[in-house]
Amino acid sequence: MFRILTQRVLGQSLLQQGIRPGAVASASRCFASAAKDLTVREALNSALNEEMSADPRVLLMGEEVGEYQGAYKITKGLLDKYGPDRVLDTPITEAGFTGIAVGAAYHGLRPVVEFMTFNFAMQAIDHIINSAAKTYYMSAGQISVPIVFRGPNGAAAGVGAQHSQCYASWYASCPGLKVLAPYSSEDARGLLKAAIRDPDPVVFLENELLYGEAFPVSAEVLDSNFALPIGKAKIEREGKDVTITAFSKMVGFALKAAEILDKEGISAEVINLRSIRPLDRAAINASVRKTNRLVTVEEGFPQHGVGAEICTSVVEESFGYLDAPVERIAGADVPMPYAANLERLALPQVEDIVRAAKRACYRSVPMAAAV
Amino acid sequence: MATMRRMEIAADSLYKAKLIRGFCHLYDGQEAVCVGMEASINKKDCIITAYRDHCTFLGRGGTLLEIFSELMGRQGGCSKGKGGSMHFYKKESGFYGGHGIVGAQVPLGCGLAFAQKYNKDENVTFALYGDGAANQGQLFEALNISALWDLPIILVCENNHCKDVNLFLLLDFLRLFFTLLLLWNRVLNGWLFGRWHGHC
């Protein structure tokens, strides 16, 4: 079933780059399948709706999730449908309401906590880590914590240093948490449903700039039983010369880079990680053993990032298969600047991925000189 | 209560003998609080407390063997040796721990009460905290939300004055002491040698 889905999606990989809804609509008419366009926002909304409908223990908590219909309209219509007992608007008190949500999860409810961005989740990080992530272990299995923490993560557009950080590597380093990062609408639907059904705490890292992007999805994805497995990456584009790993918005950039590289005779394999913890080490290593070169891409700060962990995994398991050092593309090691040109320089761009892939393939430009 | 007292004194001896490692927060002197509470509630009511949890756990149906095994890091402990002194739990009796971060148990307790109201139980939750945690911002956040949402939560403050004997108070005393010493030195110098710098 997944093979068919993968083939269908690969065939539509061109559609997944810099999508404009108009272009997708016309392209999708060319395919005979029942592909329908779904924005990431609609995907998340429908996933929440279906899971709340299926399980009365699921409830939503967060700032503006109810009457305002969601700060980014992800929870639109849910207050009207499920009522104020299940869709709860909270005051601006992350530490307080996150603690309350975790306590409710201790007792057996399945809260979905929305953080307006994960920057604000730092106010509540003690409850995410110490109260949620570690409790199943500390209680020797007595108390499980079936909670989901979701919200936008990483850079938006011009929001400045305190509103732009990517927290993937912070949460992914913590045992007891699962950390997911969807890219497409299929990812958003499948992974959020899996997260809500999971008995453990899940950190669900969305991206504000992807909410409005539309992706074609098959009928299988739209089915209410659809869910994606946690811990499995997806090969978005098959290739044989270099492996590029990415998650969230960077998957789109990696796919664009792969198109450019293809024209220059480099066949790039793009892996959409989907799951940062657990990391799909098997898929990454299998790909590197095939291509012998690796470029990791992430938006977050470079030191102790996701790319560092992927590099170590490959060095530990597939060192003999590497024909070049691992290239790591990350955000600049600086608080996010406000000015548009500086912000652009502080984030990985398609050209950076292309350059790194070429370095991995030819080694024509020494790494130090390229900085 | 007598059992609880003897248990805590024994734990104290074991801790000093280094058979209990890390932290060991004792409840001797406070036994009446949890015993009195237990007399008026049932096991469907929930209790959550901070790290001074040995007696609370015993009151909820824990055994001495489970307690001492856990304190000494044995598999027979209530958390199989993985939790330690601060992390005793007994979910089937409504005891939700056992928490190491000062004040964190209060929002968690409000969450338990939230779930009880959500499930339309006729039960309540007791969240115990101390004079130290009374300063924590998250306590007031949780209290505010509990009032807004009308949650069946009872906050119990056990003021054992542990907060009072702390480093900052000690530093205040030290500062006061040295200031007085300096003043005395100045006065003495002035009187003995007529060195009244900048005075009169």
PDB file of all heavy atoms in Angstrom, chain A residues 56 86 88 93 96 99-100 103-104 106-107 126-127 138-140 142-143, chain B residues 79 87 89-91 99 101 104 107-108 111-112 114-115 118 138 141 145 149:
ATOM      1  N   PRO A  56     -13.412  10.202  23.235  1.00  0.00           N
ATOM      2  CA  PRO A  56     -13.901  11.318  24.062  1.00  0.00           C
ATOM      3  C   PRO A  56     -12.889  11.816  25.086  1.00  0.00           C
ATOM      4  O   PRO A  56     -13.104  12.853  25.713  1.00  0.00           O
ATOM      5  CB  PRO A  56     -15.121  10.720  24.778  1.00  0.00           C
ATOM      6  CG  PRO A  56     -14.962   9.249  24.695  1.00  0.00           C
ATOM      7  CD  PRO A  56     -14.166   8.958  23.482  1.00  0.00           C
ATOM      8  N   ARG A  86     -14.305  20.590  26.043  1.00  0.00           N
ATOM      9  CA  ARG A  86     -13.233  19.848  25.357  1.00  0.00           C
ATOM     10  C   ARG A  86     -12.277  20.730  24.567  1.00  0.00           C
ATOM     11  O   ARG A  86     -11.248  20.268  24.108  1.00  0.00           O
ATOM     12  CB  ARG A  86     -13.837  18.799  24.424  1.00  0.00           C
ATOM     13  CG  ARG A  86     -14.544  17.693  25.198  1.00  0.00           C
ATOM     14  CD  ARG A  86     -15.050  16.615  24.289  1.00  0.00           C
ATOM     15  NE  ARG A  86     -13.957  15.848  23.727  1.00  0.00           N
ATOM     16  CZ  ARG A  86     -14.092  14.951  22.750  1.00  0.00           C
ATOM     17  NH1 ARG A  86     -15.270  14.731  22.218  1.00  0.00           N
ATOM     18  NH2 ARG A  86     -13.055  14.278  22.294  1.00  0.00           N
ATOM     19  N   LEU A  88     -10.444  24.170  25.268  1.00  0.00           N
ATOM     20  CA  LEU A  88     -10.299  25.112  26.388  1.00  0.00           C
ATOM     21  C   LEU A  88      -9.347  26.246  26.057  1.00  0.00           C
ATOM     22  O   LEU A  88      -8.167  26.011  25.786  1.00  0.00           O
ATOM     23  CB  LEU A  88      -9.791  24.349  27.611  1.00  0.00           C
ATOM     24  CG  LEU A  88     -10.800  23.321  28.104  1.00  0.00           C
ATOM     25  CD1 LEU A  88     -10.214  21.934  28.156  1.00  0.00           C
ATOM     26  CD2 LEU A  88     -11.301  23.701  29.478  1.00  0.00           C
ATOM     27  N   THR A  93      -0.486  31.554  30.317  1.00  0.00           N
ATOM     28  CA  THR A  93       0.211  30.982  31.464  1.00  0.00           C
ATOM     29  C   THR A  93       0.724  29.602  31.087  1.00  0.00           C
ATOM     30  O   THR A  93       0.190  28.586  31.529  1.00  0.00           O
ATOM     31  CB  THR A  93      -0.754  30.840  32.652  1.00  0.00           C
ATOM     32  OG1 THR A  93      -1.939  30.164  32.199  1.00  0.00           O
ATOM     33  CG2 THR A  93      -1.113  32.155  33.262  1.00  0.00           C
ATOM     34  N   GLY A  96       1.528  27.134  33.912  1.00  0.00           N
ATOM     35  CA  GLY A  96       0.307  26.689  34.586  1.00  0.00           C
ATOM     36  C   GLY A  96      -0.500  25.715  33.749  1.00  0.00           C
ATOM     37  O   GLY A  96      -0.815  24.604  34.201  1.00  0.00           O
ATOM     38  N   GLY A  99       1.226  22.321  32.991  1.00  0.00           N
ATOM     39  CA  GLY A  99       1.203  21.450  34.166  1.00  0.00           C
ATOM     40  C   GLY A  99      -0.166  20.819  34.351  1.00  0.00           C
ATOM     41  O   GLY A  99      -0.285  19.623  34.644  1.00  0.00           O
ATOM     42  N   ILE A 100      -1.200  21.616  34.158  1.00  0.00           N
ATOM     43  CA  ILE A 100      -2.560  21.096  34.298  1.00  0.00           C
ATOM     44  C   ILE A 100      -2.818  20.018  33.246  1.00  0.00           C
ATOM     45  O   ILE A 100      -3.387  18.959  33.536  1.00  0.00           O
ATOM     46  CB  ILE A 100      -3.592  22.240  34.198  1.00  0.00           C
ATOM     47  CG1 ILE A 100      -3.533  23.091  35.476  1.00  0.00           C
ATOM     48  CG2 ILE A 100      -4.990  21.710  33.956  1.00  0.00           C
ATOM     49  CD1 ILE A 100      -4.467  24.273  35.505  1.00  0.00           C
ATOM     50  N   GLY A 103      -1.028  16.843  34.242  1.00  0.00           N
ATOM     51  CA  GLY A 103      -1.757  16.202  35.345  1.00  0.00           C
ATOM     52  C   GLY A 103      -3.000  15.488  34.837  1.00  0.00           C
ATOM     53  O   GLY A 103      -3.323  14.378  35.280  1.00  0.00           O
ATOM     54  N   ALA A 104      -3.695  16.100  33.896  1.00  0.00           N
ATOM     55  CA  ALA A 104      -4.876  15.461  33.313  1.00  0.00           C
ATOM     56  C   ALA A 104      -4.474  14.184  32.576  1.00  0.00           C
ATOM     57  O   ALA A 104      -5.172  13.169  32.631  1.00  0.00           O
ATOM     58  CB  ALA A 104      -5.588  16.425  32.370  1.00  0.00           C
ATOM     59  N   TYR A 106      -1.897  12.306  33.369  1.00  0.00           N
ATOM     60  CA  TYR A 106      -1.600  11.310  34.410  1.00  0.00           C
ATOM     61  C   TYR A 106      -2.862  10.523  34.741  1.00  0.00           C
ATOM     62  O   TYR A 106      -2.837   9.323  34.976  1.00  0.00           O
ATOM     63  CB  TYR A 106      -1.155  11.975  35.720  1.00  0.00           C
ATOM     64  CG  TYR A 106       0.257  12.493  35.794  1.00  0.00           C
ATOM     65  CD1 TYR A 106       1.164  12.411  34.748  1.00  0.00           C
ATOM     66  CD2 TYR A 106       0.702  13.081  36.978  1.00  0.00           C
ATOM     67  CE1 TYR A 106       2.448  12.910  34.866  1.00  0.00           C
ATOM     68  CE2 TYR A 106       1.992  13.580  37.108  1.00  0.00           C
ATOM     69  CZ  TYR A 106       2.858  13.494  36.052  1.00  0.00           C
ATOM     70  OH  TYR A 106       4.126  13.989  36.184  1.00  0.00           O
ATOM     71  N   HIS A 107      -4.007  11.249  34.779  1.00  0.00           N
ATOM     72  CA  HIS A 107      -5.259  10.643  35.218  1.00  0.00           C
ATOM     73  C   HIS A 107      -5.941   9.865  34.093  1.00  0.00           C
ATOM     74  O   HIS A 107      -6.968   9.235  34.301  1.00  0.00           O
ATOM     75  CB  HIS A 107      -6.201  11.723  35.755  1.00  0.00           C
ATOM     76  CG  HIS A 107      -7.247  11.225  36.703  1.00  0.00           C
ATOM     77  ND1 HIS A 107      -8.446  10.688  36.291  1.00  0.00           N
ATOM     78  CD2 HIS A 107      -7.277  11.172  38.053  1.00  0.00           C
ATOM     79  CE1 HIS A 107      -9.162  10.334  37.345  1.00  0.00           C
ATOM     80  NE2 HIS A 107      -8.480  10.618  38.418  1.00  0.00           N
ATOM     81  N   ASP A 126       9.845  22.711  31.884  1.00  0.00           N
ATOM     82  CA  ASP A 126       9.982  21.827  33.043  1.00  0.00           C
ATOM     83  C   ASP A 126       8.876  20.783  33.033  1.00  0.00           C
ATOM     84  O   ASP A 126       9.110  19.611  33.325  1.00  0.00           O
ATOM     85  CB  ASP A 126       9.931  22.638  34.337  1.00  0.00           C
ATOM     86  CG  ASP A 126       9.953  21.741  35.569  1.00  0.00           C
ATOM     87  OD1 ASP A 126      10.948  21.017  35.735  1.00  0.00           O
ATOM     88  OD2 ASP A 126       8.973  21.737  36.336  1.00  0.00           O
ATOM     89  N   HIS A 127       7.661  21.178  32.695  1.00  0.00           N
ATOM     90  CA  HIS A 127       6.565  20.212  32.679  1.00  0.00           C
ATOM     91  C   HIS A 127       6.683  19.242  31.510  1.00  0.00           C
ATOM     92  O   HIS A 127       6.318  18.081  31.628  1.00  0.00           O
ATOM     93  CB  HIS A 127       5.203  20.921  32.671  1.00  0.00           C
ATOM     94  CG  HIS A 127       4.812  21.423  34.027  1.00  0.00           C
ATOM     95  ND1 HIS A 127       4.598  20.580  35.086  1.00  0.00           N
ATOM     96  CD2 HIS A 127       4.625  22.677  34.500  1.00  0.00           C
ATOM     97  CE1 HIS A 127       4.289  21.291  36.171  1.00  0.00           C
ATOM     98  NE2 HIS A 127       4.307  22.567  35.832  1.00  0.00           N
ATOM     99  N   MET A 138      10.295   6.996  35.796  1.00  0.00           N
ATOM    100  CA  MET A 138      10.457   7.175  37.237  1.00  0.00           C
ATOM    101  C   MET A 138       9.427   6.380  38.028  1.00  0.00           C
ATOM    102  O   MET A 138       9.691   5.980  39.163  1.00  0.00           O
ATOM    103  CB  MET A 138      10.317   8.650  37.616  1.00  0.00           C
ATOM    104  CG  MET A 138      11.464   9.516  37.159  1.00  0.00           C
ATOM    105  SD  MET A 138      11.413  11.154  37.913  1.00  0.00           S
ATOM    106  CE  MET A 138       9.836  11.763  37.378  1.00  0.00           C
ATOM    107  N   SER A 139       8.246   6.169  37.431  1.00  0.00           N
ATOM    108  CA  SER A 139       7.201   5.429  38.129  1.00  0.00           C
ATOM    109  C   SER A 139       7.259   3.949  37.786  1.00  0.00           C
ATOM    110  O   SER A 139       6.350   3.196  38.133  1.00  0.00           O
ATOM    111  CB  SER A 139       5.823   5.993  37.759  1.00  0.00           C
ATOM    112  OG  SER A 139       5.523   5.696  36.403  1.00  0.00           O
ATOM    113  N   ALA A 140       8.301   3.531  37.081  1.00  0.00           N
ATOM    114  CA  ALA A 140       8.483   2.137  36.649  1.00  0.00           C
ATOM    115  C   ALA A 140       7.244   1.619  35.928  1.00  0.00           C
ATOM    116  O   ALA A 140       6.785   0.511  36.172  1.00  0.00           O
ATOM    117  CB  ALA A 140       8.825   1.245  37.854  1.00  0.00           C
ATOM    118  N   GLN A 142       4.093   2.748  35.978  1.00  0.00           N
ATOM    119  CA  GLN A 142       2.758   2.918  36.569  1.00  0.00           C
ATOM    120  C   GLN A 142       1.957   4.011  35.875  1.00  0.00           C
ATOM    121  O   GLN A 142       0.752   3.880  35.666  1.00  0.00           O
ATOM    122  CB  GLN A 142       2.896   3.325  38.043  1.00  0.00           C
ATOM    123  CG  GLN A 142       2.966   2.173  39.015  1.00  0.00           C
ATOM    124  CD  GLN A 142       2.871   2.706  40.439  1.00  0.00           C
ATOM    125  OE1 GLN A 142       1.833   3.171  40.871  1.00  0.00           O
ATOM    126  NE2 GLN A 142       3.983   2.653  41.151  1.00  0.00           N
ATOM    127  N   ILE A 143       2.640   5.124  35.563  1.00  0.00           N
ATOM    128  CA  ILE A 143       1.919   6.281  35.050  1.00  0.00           C
ATOM    129  C   ILE A 143       2.406   6.609  33.643  1.00  0.00           C
ATOM    130  O   ILE A 143       3.550   7.026  33.462  1.00  0.00           O
ATOM    131  CB  ILE A 143       2.116   7.495  35.971  1.00  0.00           C
ATOM    132  CG1 ILE A 143       1.575   7.174  37.359  1.00  0.00           C
ATOM    133  CG2 ILE A 143       1.426   8.729  35.399  1.00  0.00           C
ATOM    134  CD1 ILE A 143       1.714   8.294  38.356  1.00  0.00           C
TER     135      ILE A 143
ATOM    136  N   SER B  79       9.060   1.888  42.829  1.00  0.00           N
ATOM    137  CA  SER B  79       9.408   2.318  41.478  1.00  0.00           C
ATOM    138  C   SER B  79      10.556   1.498  40.926  1.00  0.00           C
ATOM    139  O   SER B  79      11.321   1.962  40.069  1.00  0.00           O
ATOM    140  CB  SER B  79       9.753   3.817  41.451  1.00  0.00           C
ATOM    141  OG  SER B  79       8.654   4.583  41.878  1.00  0.00           O
ATOM    142  N   HIS B  87      10.364   9.954  44.204  1.00  0.00           N
ATOM    143  CA  HIS B  87       9.474   9.520  43.122  1.00  0.00           C
ATOM    144  C   HIS B  87       8.743   8.236  43.474  1.00  0.00           C
ATOM    145  O   HIS B  87       8.929   7.202  42.825  1.00  0.00           O
ATOM    146  CB  HIS B  87      10.277   9.385  41.828  1.00  0.00           C
ATOM    147  CG  HIS B  87      10.985  10.658  41.468  1.00  0.00           C
ATOM    148  ND1 HIS B  87      10.311  11.818  41.166  1.00  0.00           N
ATOM    149  CD2 HIS B  87      12.310  10.965  41.411  1.00  0.00           C
ATOM    150  CE1 HIS B  87      11.192  12.779  40.928  1.00  0.00           C
ATOM    151  NE2 HIS B  87      12.403  12.291  41.060  1.00  0.00           N
ATOM    152  N   TYR B  89       5.083   6.407  43.640  1.00  0.00           N
ATOM    153  CA  TYR B  89       3.767   6.551  43.005  1.00  0.00           C
ATOM    154  C   TYR B  89       2.920   5.342  43.364  1.00  0.00           C
ATOM    155  O   TYR B  89       3.441   4.245  43.522  1.00  0.00           O
ATOM    156  CB  TYR B  89       3.883   6.609  41.475  1.00  0.00           C
ATOM    157  CG  TYR B  89       4.779   7.702  40.943  1.00  0.00           C
ATOM    158  CD1 TYR B  89       6.150   7.499  40.829  1.00  0.00           C
ATOM    159  CD2 TYR B  89       4.261   8.930  40.537  1.00  0.00           C
ATOM    160  CE1 TYR B  89       6.977   8.485  40.343  1.00  0.00           C
ATOM    161  CE2 TYR B  89       5.079   9.924  40.034  1.00  0.00           C
ATOM    162  CZ  TYR B  89       6.441   9.699  39.937  1.00  0.00           C
ATOM    163  OH  TYR B  89       7.269  10.677  39.447  1.00  0.00           O
ATOM    164  N   LYS B  90       1.595   5.531  43.447  1.00  0.00           N
ATOM    165  CA  LYS B  90       0.691   4.395  43.605  1.00  0.00           C
ATOM    166  C   LYS B  90      -0.612   4.787  42.907  1.00  0.00           C
ATOM    167  O   LYS B  90      -1.578   5.228  43.549  1.00  0.00           O
ATOM    168  CB  LYS B  90       0.445   4.094  45.077  1.00  0.00           C
ATOM    169  CG  LYS B  90      -0.004   2.651  45.295  1.00  0.00           C
ATOM    170  CD  LYS B  90       0.097   2.264  46.764  1.00  0.00           C
ATOM    171  CE  LYS B  90      -0.245   0.812  46.989  1.00  0.00           C
ATOM    172  NZ  LYS B  90       0.644  -0.131  46.288  1.00  0.00           N
ATOM    173  N   LYS B  91      -0.641   4.625  41.587  1.00  0.00           N
ATOM    174  CA  LYS B  91      -1.763   5.135  40.807  1.00  0.00           C
ATOM    175  C   LYS B  91      -3.079   4.489  41.210  1.00  0.00           C
ATOM    176  O   LYS B  91      -4.115   5.158  41.254  1.00  0.00           O
ATOM    177  CB  LYS B  91      -1.493   4.910  39.310  1.00  0.00           C
ATOM    178  CG  LYS B  91      -2.518   5.593  38.443  1.00  0.00           C
ATOM    179  CD  LYS B  91      -2.177   5.520  36.966  1.00  0.00           C
ATOM    180  CE  LYS B  91      -3.300   6.192  36.170  1.00  0.00           C
ATOM    181  NZ  LYS B  91      -3.060   6.166  34.733  1.00  0.00           N
ATOM    182  N   HIS B  99       7.350  14.445  43.512  1.00  0.00           N
ATOM    183  CA  HIS B  99       7.903  15.279  42.442  1.00  0.00           C
ATOM    184  C   HIS B  99       9.064  16.097  42.944  1.00  0.00           C
ATOM    185  O   HIS B  99       9.015  16.660  44.014  1.00  0.00           O
ATOM    186  CB  HIS B  99       6.811  16.202  41.885  1.00  0.00           C
ATOM    187  CG  HIS B  99       5.736  15.422  41.201  1.00  0.00           C
ATOM    188  ND1 HIS B  99       5.790  15.073  39.874  1.00  0.00           N
ATOM    189  CD2 HIS B  99       4.610  14.852  41.685  1.00  0.00           C
ATOM    190  CE1 HIS B  99       4.728  14.338  39.574  1.00  0.00           C
ATOM    191  NE2 HIS B  99       3.995  14.193  40.658  1.00  0.00           N
ATOM    192  N   ILE B 101      10.640  18.847  41.465  1.00  0.00           N
ATOM    193  CA  ILE B 101      10.755  20.270  41.139  1.00  0.00           C
ATOM    194  C   ILE B 101       9.779  21.054  42.034  1.00  0.00           C
ATOM    195  O   ILE B 101       8.573  20.834  41.988  1.00  0.00           O
ATOM    196  CB  ILE B 101      10.435  20.522  39.658  1.00  0.00           C
ATOM    197  CG1 ILE B 101      11.278  19.622  38.758  1.00  0.00           C
ATOM    198  CG2 ILE B 101      10.647  21.991  39.313  1.00  0.00           C
ATOM    199  CD1 ILE B 101      12.771  19.852  38.816  1.00  0.00           C
ATOM    200  N   ALA B 104       6.061  22.261  41.070  1.00  0.00           N
ATOM    201  CA  ALA B 104       5.503  21.646  39.854  1.00  0.00           C
ATOM    202  C   ALA B 104       4.271  20.812  40.165  1.00  0.00           C
ATOM    203  O   ALA B 104       3.365  20.684  39.333  1.00  0.00           O
ATOM    204  CB  ALA B 104       6.562  20.791  39.171  1.00  0.00           C
ATOM    205  N   PRO B 107       0.343  22.635  39.683  1.00  0.00           N
ATOM    206  CA  PRO B 107      -0.413  22.558  38.423  1.00  0.00           C
ATOM    207  C   PRO B 107      -0.785  21.119  38.051  1.00  0.00           C
ATOM    208  O   PRO B 107      -1.866  20.868  37.521  1.00  0.00           O
ATOM    209  CB  PRO B 107       0.536  23.154  37.381  1.00  0.00           C
ATOM    210  CG  PRO B 107       1.524  23.939  38.130  1.00  0.00           C
ATOM    211  CD  PRO B 107       1.632  23.344  39.488  1.00  0.00           C
ATOM    212  N   LEU B 108       0.118  20.172  38.338  1.00  0.00           N
ATOM    213  CA  LEU B 108      -0.196  18.778  38.027  1.00  0.00           C
ATOM    214  C   LEU B 108      -1.437  18.339  38.802  1.00  0.00           C
ATOM    215  O   LEU B 108      -2.314  17.655  38.277  1.00  0.00           O
ATOM    216  CB  LEU B 108       0.991  17.871  38.363  1.00  0.00           C
ATOM    217  CG  LEU B 108       2.248  18.067  37.510  1.00  0.00           C
ATOM    218  CD1 LEU B 108       3.408  17.273  38.085  1.00  0.00           C
ATOM    219  CD2 LEU B 108       1.996  17.657  36.071  1.00  0.00           C
ATOM    220  N   GLY B 111      -4.454  19.563  37.354  1.00  0.00           N
ATOM    221  CA  GLY B 111      -4.761  18.745  36.182  1.00  0.00           C
ATOM    222  C   GLY B 111      -5.494  17.474  36.547  1.00  0.00           C
ATOM    223  O   GLY B 111      -6.413  17.040  35.843  1.00  0.00           O
ATOM    224  N   LEU B 112      -5.096  16.867  37.670  1.00  0.00           N
ATOM    225  CA  LEU B 112      -5.814  15.677  38.142  1.00  0.00           C
ATOM    226  C   LEU B 112      -7.265  16.045  38.465  1.00  0.00           C
ATOM    227  O   LEU B 112      -8.208  15.326  38.106  1.00  0.00           O
ATOM    228  CB  LEU B 112      -5.137  15.100  39.389  1.00  0.00           C
ATOM    229  CG  LEU B 112      -3.745  14.504  39.191  1.00  0.00           C
ATOM    230  CD1 LEU B 112      -3.098  14.221  40.547  1.00  0.00           C
ATOM    231  CD2 LEU B 112      -3.803  13.226  38.375  1.00  0.00           C
ATOM    232  N   PHE B 114      -8.884  18.485  37.203  1.00  0.00           N
ATOM    233  CA  PHE B 114      -9.529  18.744  35.913  1.00  0.00           C
ATOM    234  C   PHE B 114     -10.080  17.455  35.327  1.00  0.00           C
ATOM    235  O   PHE B 114     -11.218  17.391  34.841  1.00  0.00           O
ATOM    236  CB  PHE B 114      -8.517  19.395  34.955  1.00  0.00           C
ATOM    237  CG  PHE B 114      -9.053  19.607  33.571  1.00  0.00           C
ATOM    238  CD1 PHE B 114      -9.696  20.793  33.249  1.00  0.00           C
ATOM    239  CD2 PHE B 114      -8.923  18.636  32.591  1.00  0.00           C
ATOM    240  CE1 PHE B 114     -10.199  21.003  31.971  1.00  0.00           C
ATOM    241  CE2 PHE B 114      -9.414  18.827  31.314  1.00  0.00           C
ATOM    242  CZ  PHE B 114     -10.067  20.014  31.003  1.00  0.00           C
ATOM    243  N   ALA B 115      -9.257  16.389  35.363  1.00  0.00           N
ATOM    244  CA  ALA B 115      -9.684  15.104  34.803  1.00  0.00           C
ATOM    245  C   ALA B 115     -10.861  14.545  35.585  1.00  0.00           C
ATOM    246  O   ALA B 115     -11.791  13.977  35.010  1.00  0.00           O
ATOM    247  CB  ALA B 115      -8.518  14.121  34.822  1.00  0.00           C
ATOM    248  N   TYR B 118     -13.813  16.411  34.422  1.00  0.00           N
ATOM    249  CA  TYR B 118     -14.088  16.024  33.034  1.00  0.00           C
ATOM    250  C   TYR B 118     -14.822  14.691  32.973  1.00  0.00           C
ATOM    251  O   TYR B 118     -15.748  14.502  32.178  1.00  0.00           O
ATOM    252  CB  TYR B 118     -12.753  15.932  32.283  1.00  0.00           C
ATOM    253  CG  TYR B 118     -12.826  15.755  30.794  1.00  0.00           C
ATOM    254  CD1 TYR B 118     -12.755  16.859  29.945  1.00  0.00           C
ATOM    255  CD2 TYR B 118     -12.908  14.492  30.217  1.00  0.00           C
ATOM    256  CE1 TYR B 118     -12.771  16.710  28.574  1.00  0.00           C
ATOM    257  CE2 TYR B 118     -12.939  14.330  28.846  1.00  0.00           C
ATOM    258  CZ  TYR B 118     -12.866  15.433  28.027  1.00  0.00           C
ATOM    259  OH  TYR B 118     -12.886  15.282  26.659  1.00  0.00           O
ATOM    260  N   GLN B 138       4.088  29.326  39.099  1.00  0.00           N
ATOM    261  CA  GLN B 138       3.164  28.369  38.487  1.00  0.00           C
ATOM    262  C   GLN B 138       2.035  28.001  39.449  1.00  0.00           C
ATOM    263  O   GLN B 138       0.948  27.603  39.010  1.00  0.00           O
ATOM    264  CB  GLN B 138       3.893  27.120  38.018  1.00  0.00           C
ATOM    265  CG  GLN B 138       4.659  26.378  39.087  1.00  0.00           C
ATOM    266  CD  GLN B 138       5.440  25.218  38.478  1.00  0.00           C
ATOM    267  OE1 GLN B 138       4.949  24.502  37.609  1.00  0.00           O
ATOM    268  NE2 GLN B 138       6.674  25.033  38.940  1.00  0.00           N
ATOM    269  N   GLU B 141      -0.489  30.632  38.799  1.00  0.00           N
ATOM    270  CA  GLU B 141      -1.088  30.413  37.474  1.00  0.00           C
ATOM    271  C   GLU B 141      -2.138  29.305  37.572  1.00  0.00           C
ATOM    272  O   GLU B 141      -3.250  29.421  37.055  1.00  0.00           O
ATOM    273  CB  GLU B 141      -0.006  30.011  36.460  1.00  0.00           C
ATOM    274  CG  GLU B 141       0.961  31.143  36.132  1.00  0.00           C
ATOM    275  CD  GLU B 141       1.947  30.793  35.031  1.00  0.00           C
ATOM    276  OE1 GLU B 141       1.738  29.804  34.300  1.00  0.00           O
ATOM    277  OE2 GLU B 141       2.942  31.528  34.887  1.00  0.00           O
ATOM    278  N   ILE B 145      -6.267  29.488  37.043  1.00  0.00           N
ATOM    279  CA  ILE B 145      -7.023  28.668  36.091  1.00  0.00           C
ATOM    280  C   ILE B 145      -8.054  27.813  36.831  1.00  0.00           C
ATOM    281  O   ILE B 145      -9.180  27.629  36.364  1.00  0.00           O
ATOM    282  CB  ILE B 145      -6.066  27.789  35.253  1.00  0.00           C
ATOM    283  CG1 ILE B 145      -5.120  28.675  34.431  1.00  0.00           C
ATOM    284  CG2 ILE B 145      -6.844  26.873  34.335  1.00  0.00           C
ATOM    285  CD1 ILE B 145      -4.094  27.896  33.625  1.00  0.00           C
ATOM    286  N   TRP B 149     -11.934  27.815  35.941  1.00  0.00           N
ATOM    287  CA  TRP B 149     -12.598  26.612  35.442  1.00  0.00           C
ATOM    288  C   TRP B 149     -13.328  25.831  36.535  1.00  0.00           C
ATOM    289  O   TRP B 149     -13.864  24.764  36.271  1.00  0.00           O
ATOM    290  CB  TRP B 149     -11.564  25.694  34.759  1.00  0.00           C
ATOM    291  CG  TRP B 149     -10.963  26.257  33.510  1.00  0.00           C
ATOM    292  CD1 TRP B 149     -11.370  27.374  32.826  1.00  0.00           C
ATOM    293  CD2 TRP B 149      -9.852  25.735  32.784  1.00  0.00           C
ATOM    294  NE1 TRP B 149     -10.578  27.570  31.728  1.00  0.00           N
ATOM    295  CE2 TRP B 149      -9.642  26.576  31.670  1.00  0.00           C
ATOM    296  CE3 TRP B 149      -9.012  24.624  32.955  1.00  0.00           C
ATOM    297  CZ2 TRP B 149      -8.618  26.346  30.744  1.00  0.00           C
ATOM    298  CZ3 TRP B 149      -8.003  24.404  32.022  1.00  0.00           C
ATOM    299  CH2 TRP B 149      -7.814  25.252  30.925  1.00  0.00           C
TER     300      TRP B 149
END
